[in-house]
Amino acid sequence: MTMPGHFTLCIVVLVVLALLGLPIGLSMIAASVFYFIVAGLDVGTAAEQILNGLFNSYVLLAVPLFILAADLMNTGSLTDRLLKFCLVLVGRFRGGLGHVNVVANIIFAGMSGSAIADAVGIGRVIIGMMTRGGSYPVAYAGAITASAAIIGPIIPPSIPMVIYALVSDTSIGYLFLGGVIPGLLLGIGFMVTNTWIARRRNYPVEPAVPWRDVPRITLDAFPALMLPVVLLFGIYGGVMTPTEGAAAAAAYALLASWLIYRAMTWKQLYGVLLSSAKATTSVGMLIAGALVFNYVVTIEKVPLSVQEFISGFHLTPIMYLLLVNAILLVLGCLLEGSTILLVIVPIMIPTAKALGVDMVHFGVVVVVNIMIGLLTPPFGLLLFVVAGMTKQPLMAIVKEALPFILMAIAVLAVITLVPETILWLPRLLGYKG
Amino acid sequence: MERARLVRGARWLERRANDIAVALMGLMFVSFLLQIAFRYLLNQPLGWTEEVTVLCWVWVVLWCAAFVLSNNDEIRFDIVYTLVPPPVRRMFTAVSSIAFVVLLLLSLPASWNYVAFMKREHTAYLHLRLDAMYSIYVIFVVACVVKQARIAWRAITGADEAENAETAAP
């Protein structure tokens, strides 16, 4: 390392500013500026890295477009219709509304790439349905909503996978495919957990929907159900890139809510665009900060030093993956997911490559880790979202979410130890890894 | 009276800043759709749509960070921050905001030079001057410095004690 003293100081400044409550993106920019000043480098590099980085990373456009698509679906009544359809499918089993919640998230995952948007969109309707008449405890309704929402970015499309693709130079298309089976495994795992809890606590069964209503409900949900199909066939049929898929999804959601459901006013559209712009900026500022900060990390050759350090232990790829899982699960309790993806993961990637870990396998494992991090206290973004929606104390939600978190960790262990669970589908469709 | 007018004026500016964010987001979306339509339906790829989309993305992020997003909308690591009593929290805010203001002010001349240096360069399709396109970065830095300076001032004078208590919960 050149000048370790300057870099150490830079890390101290970053940690102190972030701990004092300055937004993380701004903290990274300020710490990098500090580094350039003390190291006697050109301070204009900050502007250069941020501007060129944002301009030249075309794949990043998928981030705002997927955010917009999810917001449009939630504002137009696509989500509501989808839930009615899921009620027909799985409402008749013990703990029916819990299953509806999970299945809706699986279908929704096929068009949305953001767990937060899924929890808000689906939770807005289903938490009310579950708690009406006191049939489910409010905290349980919140917990299963938060847990099921992590499926969203694991089944494609996925905003975290787009960010991982950016930092690792991996194909977004194959990453997306790699997430399909792990996402379904999580869905099945959560439904098993829900069945087990529902039996023990005797949660209700929903009255069976009369057969004559089924065609109407299906037809009602049809445009929403078609979106994942259009999107996935578009991307894997080679018609669209994932970024274009994001735009197409947003356009489809807009048209469906406008023309078919007639559930979107100009005022709502303005609101959707504004809230998407804000959400885009929250992530975008982190990306901007990470662009400068990772430049500093790279000129200090940190990933290389980590690689040299780790290679001294003669780890096998599996041991390294388990180590990464352990580190990411702990960090997930403390840090926001995009921060981990943009700052910590790039340091881990060179070692993974050197050990011969497949980059698609690594990426999906990392994203599942980060999704579990959204559920683990004290800092779990999804916990905050559902605690806010249900007006429940955070710890009540955490207690009810615990069986789901353990199930997710079990699935994580399976996909870590059996790479085929992730790589089978991409290989089937031409991945040469 | 004077103060009420100032507040009204500030609200008006805030709404116009929102309008611009919405326009940029809408333009990004529309130009991207045009690009897809021309490439796949008309088999006639357009270059400029890609440029407009990327420019909108950069401008949305930096514009909103400058004028639309409040400190609380941004992603923060607030575990420690929320645990300490309000007076300590104000001290935290004051220290971090002042540090940010000082560092970014120091970076301003070099940032300005970098952006100005781009005046010879143009974008590939629309031949827009790159210094004009990149100027949003300087606007962003100046706006963030002003915003953080105001946050620091309010923390020191205790102007938004009530507001802080309200936003403590994440």
Side-chain angles (χ1 to χ4, degrees), chain B:
Chain B
M1 274 300 104
E2 194 54 28
R3 191 174 164 74
R5 260 170 71 184
L6 266 175
V7 169
R8 261 213 314 277
R11 289 273 149 75
W12 187 87
L13 280 176
E14 225 168 77
R15 282 201 301 273
R16 296 299 79 82
N18 289 353
D19 289 347
I20 290 176
V22 166
L24 285 167
M25 196 76 190
L27 182 61
M28 169 165 72
F29 183 39
V30 171
S31 66
F32 208 100
L33 289 181
L34 271 178
Q35 183 181 319
I36 300 177
F38 271 80
R39 179 176 305 161
Y40 294 114
L41 303 180
L42 306 175
N43 208 3
Q44 204 179 27
L46 299 173
W48 62 268
T49 46
E50 193 174 316
E51 211 169 275
V52 171
T53 314
V54 177
L55 283 171
C56 285
W57 144 252
V58 179
W59 275 71
V60 161
V61 171
L62 295 176
W63 177 267
C64 288
F67 302 112
V68 176
L69 232 53
S70 77
N71 224 28
N72 294 313
D73 290 331
E74 294 207 47
I75 295 167
R76 299 193 296 167
F77 180 85
D78 46 11
I79 298 173
V80 181
Y81 185 83
T82 47
L83 285 179
V84 299
V88 183
R89 209 178 285 162
R90 273 168 52 197
M91 196 187 74
F92 274 22
T93 306
V95 171
S96 64
S97 297
I98 290 172
F100 178 87
V101 168
V102 171
L103 284 168
L104 271 283
L105 274 181
L106 286 173
S107 84
L108 198 53
S111 303
W112 175 270
N113 282 341
Y114 173 74
V115 171
F117 180 68
M118 288 292 125
K119 69 169 181 274
R120 293 168 192 284
E121 311 244 353
H122 294 79
T123 62
Y125 287 95
L126 297 173
H127 300 288
L128 300 166
R129 275 175 55 165
L130 218 50
D131 57 345
M133 295 299 104
Y134 277 13
S135 65
I136 184 66
Y137 182 80
V138 176
I139 297 172
F140 157 78
V141 170
V142 172
C144 281
V145 162
V146 171
K147 189 156 83 180
Q148 293 298 332
R150 183 164 169 269
I151 289 171
W153 176 250
R154 290 174 70 101
I156 292 165
T157 56
D160 43 12
E161 198 78 289
E163 202 178 310
N164 266 341
E166 191 189 313
T167 54

Side-chain angles (χ1 to χ4, degrees), chain A residues 7-244:
Chain A
F7 184 62
T8 313
L9 280 174
C10 165
I11 299 283
V12 171
V13 171
L14 172 63
V15 172
V16 168
L17 287 181
L19 278 178
L20 293 183
L22 192 71
I24 296 177
L26 297 185
S27 302
M28 285 195 277
I29 297 176
S32 308
V33 164
F34 173 82
Y35 172 85
F36 293 136
I37 293 173
V38 293
L41 299 170
D42 177 16
V43 184
T45 312
E48 186 185 344
Q49 289 298 321
I50 290 176
L51 286 164
N52 288 336
L54 290 178
F55 261 103
N56 297 326
S57 41
Y58 185 72
V59 293
L60 278 180
L61 283 174
V63 174
L65 292 168
F66 278 131
I67 289 175
L68 182 63
D71 273 0
L72 283 169
M73 276 176 255
N74 288 335
T75 309
S77 57
L78 267 73
T79 315
D80 311 42
R81 283 158 212 264
L82 205 58
L83 282 171
K84 282 206 191 97
F85 176 75
C86 294
L87 197 59
V88 175
L89 285 184
V90 288
R92 58 192 75 219
F93 302 111
R94 176 73 50 200
L97 286 175
H99 294 310
V100 169
N101 199 332
V102 176
V103 173
N105 267 292
I106 293 175
I107 301 177
F108 217 70
M111 38 189 158
S112 147
S114 148
I116 305 298
D118 292 2
V120 173
I122 296 176
R124 188 173 47 90
V125 186
I126 199 148
I127 291 175
M129 283 164 73
M130 288 180 82
T131 51
R132 203 171 298 136
S135 38
Y136 296 80
V138 184
Y140 184 76
I144 193 169
T145 302
S147 309
I150 73 167
I151 298 171
I154 297 171
I155 292 181
S158 161
I159 292 173
M161 284 187 194
V162 172
I163 298 179
Y164 173 81
L166 175 82
V167 297
S168 68
D169 229 355
T170 311
S171 144
I172 299 183
Y174 290 133
L175 275 170
F176 276 12
L177 282 175
V180 173
I181 292 175
L184 293 175
L185 285 177
L186 273 175
I188 296 167
F190 289 160
M191 285 170 84
V192 169
T193 313
N194 178 54
T195 307
W196 181 66
I197 296 172
R199 289 232 172 101
R200 278 187 24 174
R201 299 184 185 169
N202 206 21
Y203 285 156
V205 174
E206 297 310 305
V209 178
W211 281 111
R212 62 189 146 77
D213 290 348
V214 172
R216 185 183 50 80
I217 294 172
T218 310
L219 199 68
D220 244 18
F222 189 72
L225 288 171
M226 279 316 286
L227 181 49
V229 179
V230 170
L231 197 60
L232 296 184
F233 275 89
I235 294 175
Y236 296 107
V239 182
M240 292 181 285
T241 65
T243 312
E244 289 168 343

Side-chain angles (χ1 to χ4, degrees), chain A residues 395-429:
Chain A
M395 282 327 282
I397 307 266
V398 172
K399 211 175 129 222
E400 293 285 7
L402 195 62
F404 293 98
I405 297 174
L406 293 176
M407 179 54 87
I409 292 177
V411 171
L412 175 65
V414 170
I415 63 166
T416 306
L417 297 173
V418 190
E420 287 73 24
T421 50
I422 293 170
L423 296 173
W424 177 75
L425 198 56
R427 280 178 183 154
L428 194 69
L429 286 154

